[in-house]
Amino acid sequence: MRDLVEIGMGRTARRSYDLHQVEIVPSRRTRSSKEVSTAWQLDAYRFEIPLVTHPTDAVVSPASAVRIGQLGGLAVLNAEGLWARHADTEGALERVLAAATEDDPVAAVRTLQELHAAPIQPDLLAEALRTVRDAGVTVAARVSPQRARELAPALLAGGVEILFVQGTIISAEHVSPGEPLNLKEFITGIDVPVVAGGVGDYRTAMHLMRTGAAGVIVGYGQSSATTTDSVLGIGVPMATAIVDAAAARRDYLDETGGRYVHVIADGGMDGSGDMAKAIACGADAVMLGEQLADAADSPGGGLYWTSAAAHPSLPRSEVTGFAPSERDLEAVLFGPSTSPYGNVDLFGALRRAMAKTGYSDLKEFQRVGLTVRG
Amino acid sequence: MRDLVEIGMGRTARRSYDLHQVEIVPSRRTRSSKEVSTAWQLDAYRFEIPLVTHPTDAVVSPASAVRIGQLGGLAVLNAEGLWARHADTEGALERVLAAATEDDPVAAVRTLQELHAAPIQPDLLAEALRTVRDAGVTVAARVSPQRARELAPALLAGGVEILFVQGTIISAEHVSPGEPLNLKEFITGIDVPVVAGGVGDYRTAMHLMRTGAAGVIVGYGQSSATTTDSVLGIGVPMATAIVDAAAARRDYLDETGGRYVHVIADGGMDGSGDMAKAIACGADAVMLGEQLADAADSPGGGLYWTSAAAHPSLPRSEVTGFAPSERDLEAVLFGPSTSPYGNVDLFGALRRAMAKTGYSDLKEFQRVGLTVRG
Amino acid sequence: MRDLVEIGMGRTARRSYDLHQVEIVPSRRTRSSKEVSTAWQLDAYRFEIPLVTHPTDAVVSPASAVRIGQLGGLAVLNAEGLWARHADTEGALERVLAAATEDDPVAAVRTLQELHAAPIQPDLLAEALRTVRDAGVTVAARVSPQRARELAPALLAGGVEILFVQGTIISAEHVSPGEPLNLKEFITGIDVPVVAGGVGDYRTAMHLMRTGAAGVIVGYGQSSATTTDSVLGIGVPMATAIVDAAAARRDYLDETGGRYVHVIADGGMDGSGDMAKAIACGADAVMLGEQLADAADSPGGGLYWTSAAAHPSLPRSEVTGFAPSERDLEAVLFGPSTSPYGNVDLFGALRRAMAKTGYSDLKEFQRVGLTVRG
Amino acid sequence: MRDLVEIGMGRTARRSYDLHQVEIVPSRRTRSSKEVSTAWQLDAYRFEIPLVTHPTDAVVSPASAVRIGQLGGLAVLNAEGLWARHADTEGALERVLAAATEDDPVAAVRTLQELHAAPIQPDLLAEALRTVRDAGVTVAARVSPQRARELAPALLAGGVEILFVQGTIISAEHVSPGEPLNLKEFITGIDVPVVAGGVGDYRTAMHLMRTGAAGVIVGYGQSSATTTDSVLGIGVPMATAIVDAAAARRDYLDETGGRYVHVIADGGMDGSGDMAKAIACGADAVMLGEQLADAADSPGGGLYWTSAAAHPSLPRSEVTGFAPSERDLEAVLFGPSTSPYGNVDLFGALRRAMAKTGYSDLKEFQRVGLTVRG
């Protein structure tokens, strides 16, 4: 049954699948969409929709984080982004926007690189988090493994409630000449739940679960802007990666006699159809970025990029432009929609996909039948 | 032999195929196309061609229904469409046409949503059906499962002879807080044959057959306008779905000792070549929509959409535009053709495909050899 | 090993492959291209290159037939084409050319239909053949199965030396209300070798071989102009079809204790690379059409179509336009080339493909290693 | 496990894979990119990066060869190119550049053909090599098998240190009416290490290794300019071909009790991601051409072609144009990059791909996990 191919003599590889190669198969019963719950819970925090934002300045500002929290999702502020480096973040974002309109397709990337050369200012970071906390929604922020130890105190001081330790690809065992992050020690020594990733395979997912992480991120935010595969040759076909991480979750649950680590799918999704497929493959929640970029109240003004766009020497994300729309985050998440393209009413669509296949909650929906296009 | 792949660890899925991945293989004999019959019979109704229309206002008006009936096919009026809601249907269609010419690609969808906010008027519905009945052709109409019980009396009063209970994806077992349709009871309690669907798998097809349906619709009208897959993640690769439904037909025939339930393929077909493939996979008839939209006597004036375009909060069909042609429905169905693209003389082409592979009727042609492109 | 897939429950199909999915694998030795022979022999006729023309007026006129014969190939005149119907063939071709420049993409098809409504004049046919015969090259013509008996006398009188009985898809057993062609009787009763086709599978190829045909045509001239698959749903992936026909040739050779029936590949080839692949799959010769259309001395003036374009009610070929080039047939076949696109020096390229894989004649080259793209 | 398909009856073929179908799977640990070495050694020559240039005049001039050597790579001058034929090479290159701007897409090919009609002048060749030698970097040149014996003396006199005997596809056993090159004797009789290729399969790779070659080239420089597949039908899916050649290397190492022959991947790579995949499949080094063409200090002025473009009668490469950039070779190889497209900082990207999968040298990285896209 294991789906192996021989690339060449003596070298086998698994076949792996993207979400767009997979289809949900209705095959049991149908259900009214009013009878469906999309709620999930991460540690002590309950959310009405399984939405976590990709930690990019293009979609997460303190203001949009508040709005997303009020709408039932979890916004993750990038603790190494513009909000942490520039008091005049609006001015910084305007510079990106201005550069993106020029003929040079990499001018906006260059601008992001320049803006990220400014140092991180812990007080700016704390202030940003405080805005979110004061609005009464769950406070989450992302740090890279390299800077986790350095930035954790400021984040805790600022009131972070869930910490994301997230890089393109991370591992539980980082070899470094300096003082690498021992993720297990880090997580043990910190008071808030930690979500870690991205990963692309069963083994790393299992290792991260064993560090005590509350959640594991699968994927690295693959979007129409992301170019990691072209630059590094590392690709994560998401249907397979999510199914594998869900297998790790199940095995780890058994190994620990009951510790459930959440799997969050980050990337490889276009619109609501792919979000439903990600849950169907076994994700507990989906990390969205690009999907929120054209909302009128997203900070990027219609642009999208991931934090890899700002890498000082090897950027791995374009800045892609969207015509900013008039609809706001609420409409993007809950409609009503006048667009038939899967980009509006994202969670109404998820609810309806679950209803049409007869499932009433997310955990059950992870068992829906799937087919692979021939 | 079962064509399974492992998407990821512990999760298998069947491979499934679209019609365009399949080819008909001539391999026995050839036959004059004059020796070929394309007739089929649904309950007591015989049709010269295996054509059922997709129930969309873009191609079915009372007038075009009459014409299609006279030409040997079966037109299905959408009982929840514009004809049931607006006395001035022409005016309503003109509003859609006007919106479709604007720059905003979703303006026509919005217009359809607005037009469908008007209530259904049973007398308009009855009048539309009467026009068809008075012309002496078979009268068919479509209702959604949600409104079947409510609208059935008006439809019967209007003279409906075959009733289609059709939603994107339906099931024999709908879970709902209100009073869901028990399809079996509904069919038992009604005097006319009922065709139900769409379905995408063997099990649901079998369940629908057991409700007493005279026919089962496979697919949900996938066309160049349809976006259900992008919105909901639910896709129905049609070659596999039709073969599966035909297997259900065979098993149900055996189970009941002789009750033959017709399989109607709805979607995933571009032109006449795909229609032939749908029959070759086991369909008894094909449901066409888009293929008829550019006929001069189609009501949509060259536009096409499915009823899902008018969903109040989550539309799942675009309004696609075709340059209206000068040829009429008769030419589209029977030629002669000056177009080599499979869009004219649809049933002449089917007849010829059967002839070139040596078959003389549709039932035999369901056994023709198929190959799958590598 | 048999490459079967389950399309759906209870219905299996072979996977089949196009030439573009196959690659020739060099793996033994290399050879100077001067050491390579591309000669082949059909019945008593020897040709320096394995070229047979597709019988379309776009590339075969009496004059171009003579030229192709002088260059070592075999041109097949369409006995049901314009040369057989119009004394002023040049004027007819000019009408097609004029129609092809208009905005209406099917205007040229319509013109061909009109021109083919004129009756076949046996004396025109005989005169055309005589021109070819008088030049001292092998005379070949094509008739459809439907008109073979009717036109054979005129063709024999005109001096035809090899007769092609060719339709899109033919069989040895044609069921018809009139008086169908019994191909075996026809071939037995005629004095010249007969080549018959097209076929797409082993069984029909074998049946045609048993009629006494000297050669069997595989495929139906699939080109960028052909639309048979869209219209009829009948497709012939050529790598598989040629391999299958070659298997029939081998089995028939065994069955008869030595009768070798030639396999001619007609379609699915873009340029010289695909021609080499067709031979590598087992073809004895390739039928070319489109590849010759832009030669300055081709009659179509840069246009291409197959005879199916002229079908009175169901055309299955476009008229595609090429910018006519300045190179003549000799340059197209033998170069020298300044074009790196596989469209010039077609047989120099074949010779070089054989040399680079170490083979010295066509029959050996049919055993070269192949790989299928993953 | 062997991945065989049946193309048709009685004819099987392996499935083979391109680099773009393969993904590197991170699955062990991560590592700081500072902890990674990209050095390799060919015979006595050590290079800091596994870069060998494709021997085309578009990227290798004496000046760029020096620069590439100083940057840690190995440049291979084409001993049968313009530098060997024209004293005024700059003028010759300008003619190509001028022709490439015209409307005729093959004008530049024709110009290259004309320029290559001039005879090779051994003194020009020697002078070019001397320039490279005098700069203190490793001197390498390429000859075709046909002219290896004739040109070797001039190359040795000019100070060549590594000799590349390279044609599109070569073999250890060339059948020819004249005096073919016996590669084994040639290599035995010459004092410098010889690298030979291209090959596409295990057997030929093994045969070349047995001639005493120090390295074997896999592929024939497939690039966006190359058209060998269209012209000859010979394709080399690179992931499979590299894995196969690496298997030959392993088997030959065992057979000889320790002779390690280097595998150099030439073609099928777009940017740095594909380069990493080539190493991951088993290559010891990558041969780059197109990737260097837009550097400000590349001689082609933004154009790219392979030497097959200049073939006198059957060219198999286009001249493709790139807008020349302002970045130089150093930036292309080592960044820093403002481009997220995998075309800048090629070897920084390779280093990072190794780091993210936890490997510290190239030899280890050949064992990284791979997956094949479904």
Side-chain angles (χ1 to χ4, degrees):
Chain A
M1 195 62 67
R2 183 56 62 91
D3 212 3
L4 291 177
V5 302
E6 192 191 53
I7 299 179
M9 294 167 74
R11 192 83 178 262
T12 54
R14 274 169 88 201
R15 272 195 195 280
S16 51
Y17 301 91
D18 276 310
L19 292 169
H20 71 81
Q21 296 176 282
V22 165
E23 299 287 352
I24 294 170
V25 182
S27 69
R28 236 173 36 138
R29 61 173 69 91
T30 52
R31 181 180 291 275
S32 163
S33 64
K34 294 182 196 87
E35 295 288 281
V36 169
S37 161
T38 58
W40 76 301
Q41 183 148 349
L42 178 66
D43 201 90
Y45 304 93
R46 179 186 159 93
F47 304 95
E48 288 310 308
I49 51 173
L51 162 65
V52 182
T53 65
H54 189 82
T56 166
D57 297 334
V59 299
V60 188
S61 65
S64 75
V66 168
R67 189 68 192 120
I68 286 161
Q70 289 166 341
L71 291 167
L74 174 63
V76 183
L77 199 79
N78 182 10
E80 301 173 21
L82 300 172
W83 300 93
R85 299 177 193 267
H86 295 275
D88 179 14
T89 323
E90 302 240 330
L93 287 167
E94 266 161 34
R95 277 187 57 195
V96 180
L97 206 54
T101 60
E102 289 168 37
D103 289 337
D104 181 352
V106 303
V109 168
R110 214 160 44 222
T111 305
L112 281 168
Q113 289 178 316
E114 289 162 16
L115 290 164
H116 280 74
I120 295 174
Q121 302 180 39
D123 56 330
L124 288 180
L125 200 48
E127 190 190 318
L129 294 186
R130 222 170 297 127
T131 308
V132 181
R133 196 188 55 193
D134 290 352
V137 305
T138 310
V139 184
R142 170 259 171 184
V143 287
S144 64
Q146 290 80 359
R147 308 193 69 170
R149 266 192 312 238
E150 168 197 353
L151 296 172
L155 292 170
L156 291 168
V160 78
E161 291 168 300
I162 305 176
L163 184 63
F164 284 69
V165 178
Q166 186 175 4
T168 301
I169 291 292
I170 77 166
S171 72
E173 181 189 355
H174 185 75
V175 182
S176 162
E179 212 180 330
L181 181 70
N182 181 321
L183 198 58
K184 191 167 185 175
E185 280 177 28
F186 178 78
I187 291 177
T188 308
I190 208 169
D191 237 16
V192 300
V194 172
V195 173
V199 302
D201 73 299
Y202 173 91
R203 188 150 50 138
T204 315
M206 184 57 111
H207 286 181
L208 287 193
M209 288 173 182
R210 288 184 182 145
T211 64
V216 167
I217 300 161
V218 179
Y220 49 75
Q222 302 95 302
S223 69
S224 67
T226 315
T227 58
T228 303
D229 189 1
S230 304
V231 177
L232 298 181
I234 297 173
V236 177
M238 285 298 282
T240 297
I242 297 168
V243 168
D244 284 0
R249 180 182 62 203
R250 198 175 51 237
D251 291 351
Y252 182 69
L253 189 72
D254 183 67
E255 177 179 312
T256 56
R259 225 188 134 251
Y260 188 91
V261 181
H262 291 267
V263 170
I264 300 170
D266 179 26
M269 295 172 279
D270 277 342
S272 50
D274 290 339
M275 286 163 44
K277 292 176 187 178
I279 307 274
C281 284
D284 295 295
V286 290
M287 207 165 213
L288 302 184
E290 194 172 21
Q291 295 85 352
L292 313 179
D294 76 342
D297 42 354
S298 261
L303 297 184
Y304 187 69
W305 65 88
T306 72
S307 56
H311 190 284
S313 67
L314 192 66
R316 295 183 299 275
S317 165
E318 292 181 89
V319 176
T320 48
F322 296 88
S325 70
E326 286 171 27
R327 64 186 152 250
D328 59 14
L329 284 163
E330 182 170 11
V332 171
L333 300 183
F334 300 114
S337 171
T338 61
S339 157
Y341 303 114
N343 59 337
V344 183
D345 195 10
L346 299 177
F347 290 89
L350 172 62
R351 179 184 294 275
R352 212 162 279 274
M354 294 167 71
K356 285 206 185 298
T357 50
Y359 292 93
S360 60
D361 67 36
L362 294 173
K363 195 62 207 161
E364 276 185 16
F365 186 56
Q366 292 174 350
R367 295 197 307 261
V368 70
L370 296 171
T371 189
V372 167
R373 287 196 171 268
Chain B
M1 196 62 67
R2 183 55 63 90
D3 212 5
L4 291 176
V5 303
E6 192 192 53
I7 299 179
M9 294 166 75
R11 191 82 177 263
T12 55
R14 272 170 88 202
R15 271 194 195 280
S16 50
Y17 300 91
D18 277 310
L19 291 169
H20 72 80
Q21 296 176 281
V22 166
E23 299 287 351
I24 294 170
V25 181
S27 69
R28 237 174 34 140
R29 62 173 68 92
T30 50
R31 182 180 291 276
S32 163
S33 63
K34 293 181 197 90
E35 295 288 282
V36 169
S37 162
T38 59
W40 77 300
Q41 184 149 348
L42 179 65
D43 202 90
Y45 304 93
R46 179 187 160 92
F47 305 95
E48 288 310 309
I49 51 174
L51 162 65
V52 182
T53 63
H54 189 82
T56 166
D57 297 332
V59 298
V60 189
S61 64
S64 75
V66 168
R67 190 69 193 119
I68 286 161
Q70 289 167 341
L71 292 167
L74 174 64
V76 184
L77 199 79
N78 182 10
E80 301 172 20
L82 300 172
W83 300 93
R85 298 176 193 267
H86 295 275
D88 179 14
T89 323
E90 302 242 329
L93 286 168
E94 265 160 35
R95 277 187 58 196
V96 180
L97 205 55
T101 61
E102 289 168 36
D103 289 337
D104 180 353
V106 302
V109 169
R110 213 160 45 222
T111 305
L112 281 169
Q113 289 178 317
E114 289 162 15
L115 290 166
H116 280 75
I120 294 175
Q121 302 181 37
D123 56 329
L124 287 180
L125 199 48
E127 189 189 319
L129 295 186
R130 221 170 298 129
T131 308
V132 182
R133 197 189 52 192
D134 290 352
V137 307
T138 310
V139 183
R142 170 258 170 184
V143 287
S144 65
Q146 290 80 1
R147 308 194 70 171
R149 266 192 310 239
E150 168 197 352
L151 297 173
L155 291 169
L156 290 168
V160 78
E161 291 168 299
I162 306 176
L163 184 63
F164 285 69
V165 178
Q166 187 175 4
T168 301
I169 292 291
I170 76 166
S171 72
E173 181 189 355
H174 184 76
V175 182
S176 162
E179 209 181 332
L181 181 68
N182 181 321
L183 199 58
K184 191 168 184 174
E185 280 178 29
F186 178 78
I187 290 176
T188 308
I190 207 169
D191 237 16
V192 301
V194 172
V195 173
V199 302
D201 73 301
Y202 172 90
R203 187 149 50 139
T204 315
M206 184 57 111
H207 287 181
L208 287 193
M209 287 173 183
R210 289 184 181 144
T211 64
V216 167
I217 301 161
V218 178
Y220 49 74
Q222 302 96 302
S223 69
S224 67
T226 315
T227 59
T228 303
D229 188 2
S230 304
V231 177
L232 298 181
I234 297 174
V236 177
M238 286 297 282
T240 298
I242 296 169
V243 169
D244 283 1
R249 180 182 62 203
R250 198 175 51 236
D251 291 351
Y252 182 69
L253 188 72
D254 183 66
E255 178 179 311
T256 57
R259 224 187 136 252
Y260 188 91
V261 181
H262 292 266
V263 170
I264 299 171
D266 180 26
M269 295 172 279
D270 278 342
S272 50
D274 289 340
M275 286 164 43
K277 292 176 187 178
I279 307 275
C281 283
D284 295 295
V286 291
M287 207 166 213
L288 302 184
E290 192 172 22
Q291 295 85 351
L292 312 179
D294 76 342
D297 42 354
S298 262
L303 297 183
Y304 187 69
W305 66 87
T306 72
S307 57
H311 190 283
S313 67
L314 192 66
R316 295 183 299 275
S317 164
E318 293 182 88
V319 176
T320 48
F322 296 88
S325 71
E326 286 171 27
R327 63 185 152 251
D328 59 14
L329 283 164
E330 182 170 10
V332 171
L333 301 183
F334 299 114
S337 170
T338 62
S339 157
Y341 303 114
N343 60 337
V344 183
D345 194 10
L346 299 177
F347 290 89
L350 172 61
R351 179 184 293 275
R352 213 162 279 273
M354 294 167 70
K356 285 204 185 300
T357 49
Y359 293 93
S360 59
D361 67 35
L362 294 172
K363 195 63 207 160
E364 278 185 15
F365 186 56
Q366 292 173 350
R367 295 198 307 261
V368 69
L370 296 171
T371 190
V372 167
R373 288 194 171 269
Chain C
M1 195 62 68
R2 183 57 61 93
D3 212 5
L4 291 176
V5 303
E6 192 191 54
I7 299 179
M9 294 167 74
R11 190 82 178 262
T12 55
R14 274 169 88 201
R15 272 195 194 279
S16 50
Y17 300 91
D18 277 309
L19 291 169
H20 71 81
Q21 296 176 282
V22 166
E23 299 287 352
I24 294 170
V25 181
S27 69
R28 235 171 38 135
R29 60 173 71 92
T30 51
R31 180 180 292 275
S32 162
S33 63
K34 293 182 197 87
E35 295 287 283
V36 168
S37 162
T38 59
W40 77 301
Q41 184 148 348
L42 179 65
D43 201 272
Y45 304 92
R46 179 187 161 92
F47 305 96
E48 288 310 309
I49 50 174
L51 162 65
V52 182
T53 63
H54 189 81
T56 166
D57 296 334
V59 298
V60 188
S61 65
S64 75
V66 168
R67 190 68 193 120
I68 286 161
Q70 290 167 341
L71 291 167
L74 174 63
V76 183
L77 198 79
N78 183 9
E80 300 173 20
L82 299 173
W83 300 92
R85 298 176 194 267
H86 294 275
D88 178 15
T89 323
E90 302 241 330
L93 287 167
E94 265 159 36
R95 278 187 56 197
V96 180
L97 206 54
T101 60
E102 289 168 35
D103 289 337
D104 181 352
V106 303
V109 169
R110 214 161 43 221
T111 305
L112 280 169
Q113 289 177 317
E114 290 163 15
L115 289 165
H116 280 74
I120 294 175
Q121 302 181 37
D123 55 330
L124 288 180
L125 200 48
E127 190 189 319
L129 294 186
R130 221 169 299 128
T131 308
V132 181
R133 195 190 54 191
D134 291 351
V137 306
T138 309
V139 183
R142 171 258 171 184
V143 287
S144 64
Q146 290 79 0
R147 308 195 69 170
R149 265 192 311 237
E150 168 197 353
L151 296 172
L155 292 169
L156 290 168
V160 78
E161 292 168 299
I162 306 176
L163 184 63
F164 284 69
V165 178
Q166 187 175 4
T168 301
I169 292 290
I170 76 166
S171 73
E173 181 190 353
H174 185 75
V175 182
S176 162
E179 211 180 331
L181 181 69
N182 181 321
L183 199 57
K184 191 167 183 176
E185 279 178 30
F186 178 78
I187 291 176
T188 308
I190 208 169
D191 237 16
V192 300
V194 172
V195 173
V199 303
D201 72 301
Y202 172 90
R203 188 151 47 139
T204 315
M206 184 56 110
H207 286 181
L208 287 193
M209 288 174 183
R210 289 184 182 144
T211 64
V216 167
I217 301 161
V218 179
Y220 49 75
Q222 303 96 301
S223 69
S224 66
T226 315
T227 59
T228 303
D229 188 2
S230 304
V231 177
L232 298 181
I234 297 174
V236 176
M238 286 297 283
T240 297
I242 296 169
V243 169
D244 283 0
R249 181 181 60 203
R250 199 174 51 236
D251 291 351
Y252 182 69
L253 188 71
D254 183 66
E255 177 179 311
T256 56
R259 225 187 135 252
Y260 188 90
V261 181
H262 292 267
V263 170
I264 300 171
D266 180 27
M269 296 171 279
D270 278 341
S272 49
D274 289 340
M275 287 164 41
K277 292 176 187 178
I279 307 275
C281 283
D284 296 294
V286 291
M287 207 165 213
L288 302 184
E290 192 172 22
Q291 295 85 353
L292 312 179
D294 76 342
D297 42 354
S298 261
L303 296 183
Y304 186 69
W305 65 89
T306 72
S307 56
H311 190 282
S313 67
L314 192 66
R316 295 183 299 274
S317 164
E318 293 181 90
V319 177
T320 48
F322 295 88
S325 70
E326 286 171 27
R327 62 185 154 253
D328 59 14
L329 284 163
E330 183 170 11
V332 171
L333 300 184
F334 300 114
S337 171
T338 60
S339 157
Y341 304 114
N343 60 338
V344 183
D345 194 10
L346 298 177
F347 289 90
L350 172 61
R351 179 184 293 276
R352 213 163 278 274
M354 294 167 71
K356 285 205 185 300
T357 49
Y359 292 93
S360 60
D361 68 35
L362 293 172
K363 195 63 208 159
E364 279 186 14
F365 186 56
Q366 292 173 351
R367 295 198 306 261
V368 70
L370 296 171
T371 190
V372 167
R373 289 195 171 269
Chain D
M1 196 62 69
R2 182 57 62 90
D3 212 2
L4 291 177
V5 303
E6 192 192 52
I7 299 179
M9 295 167 73
R11 190 83 179 261
T12 55
R14 274 169 87 201
R15 272 195 194 279
S16 50
Y17 300 91
D18 276 310
L19 292 168
H20 70 80
Q21 296 177 281
V22 165
E23 299 287 352
I24 295 170
V25 181
S27 69
R28 234 171 40 136
R29 61 173 70 91
T30 50
R31 182 180 289 277
S32 163
S33 63
K34 292 182 197 87
E35 295 288 282
V36 168
S37 163
T38 59
W40 77 301
Q41 184 148 348
L42 179 65
D43 200 272
Y45 303 94
R46 179 185 159 92
F47 304 96
E48 288 310 308
I49 51 174
L51 162 65
V52 182
T53 64
H54 188 81
T56 166
D57 296 333
V59 298
V60 188
S61 64
S64 75
V66 168
R67 190 69 193 120
I68 286 161
Q70 289 167 341
L71 291 167
L74 173 64
V76 183
L77 198 79
N78 183 9
E80 300 173 20
L82 300 173
W83 300 92
R85 298 176 195 267
H86 295 275
D88 178 15
T89 323
E90 302 241 330
L93 287 167
E94 267 159 35
R95 278 187 57 195
V96 180
L97 206 55
T101 61
E102 290 169 35
D103 289 337
D104 180 352
V106 302
V109 168
R110 214 161 42 224
T111 305
L112 281 168
Q113 289 178 317
E114 289 162 15
L115 290 166
H116 280 73
I120 294 175
Q121 302 181 38
D123 55 329
L124 289 180
L125 199 49
E127 190 190 319
L129 294 186
R130 222 170 297 128
T131 308
V132 181
R133 195 189 54 193
D134 291 352
V137 306
T138 309
V139 183
R142 171 259 171 184
V143 286
S144 64
Q146 290 79 359
R147 307 194 70 170
R149 265 192 312 237
E150 169 198 352
L151 296 173
L155 292 168
L156 291 168
V160 78
E161 291 168 299
I162 305 176
L163 183 63
F164 284 69
V165 178
Q166 187 175 4
T168 302
I169 292 291
I170 77 166
S171 73
E173 181 190 354
H174 185 76
V175 181
S176 162
E179 212 181 331
L181 181 70
N182 180 320
L183 199 58
K184 190 166 185 177
E185 280 178 30
F186 179 79
I187 291 176
T188 308
I190 208 169
D191 236 18
V192 300
V194 172
V195 173
V199 302
D201 74 300
Y202 172 91
R203 189 152 48 138
T204 314
M206 184 56 111
H207 286 181
L208 287 193
M209 287 173 182
R210 288 183 181 145
T211 64
V216 167
I217 301 161
V218 178
Y220 49 75
Q222 302 95 300
S223 69
S224 67
T226 315
T227 59
T228 303
D229 189 1
S230 304
V231 177
L232 298 181
I234 297 174
V236 176
M238 286 298 284
T240 297
I242 296 169
V243 169
D244 283 0
R249 180 181 63 202
R250 199 175 51 236
D251 291 351
Y252 181 69
L253 188 72
D254 183 66
E255 177 179 310
T256 56
R259 225 187 136 252
Y260 188 90
V261 182
H262 292 266
V263 170
I264 301 170
D266 180 26
M269 295 172 279
D270 278 342
S272 50
D274 289 340
M275 287 163 43
K277 292 176 187 178
I279 308 274
C281 283
D284 296 295
V286 291
M287 207 165 213
L288 302 184
E290 193 172 21
Q291 295 85 351
L292 313 178
D294 76 342
D297 43 354
S298 261
L303 297 183
Y304 186 69
W305 65 89
T306 72
S307 56
H311 190 283
S313 66
L314 192 67
R316 296 183 298 276
S317 164
E318 293 181 90
V319 176
T320 48
F322 295 88
S325 71
E326 286 172 27
R327 64 185 153 250
D328 59 14
L329 283 164
E330 183 169 10
V332 171
L333 300 184
F334 300 114
S337 172
T338 61
S339 157
Y341 303 114
N343 61 337
V344 182
D345 194 9
L346 298 177
F347 289 90
L350 172 61
R351 179 184 294 276
R352 213 163 279 274
M354 294 167 71
K356 286 207 184 298
T357 50
Y359 292 93
S360 60
D361 66 36
L362 293 173
K363 195 64 208 159
E364 277 186 15
F365 186 56
Q366 293 173 351
R367 295 198 306 261
V368 70
L370 297 171
T371 189
V372 167
R373 287 193 172 272

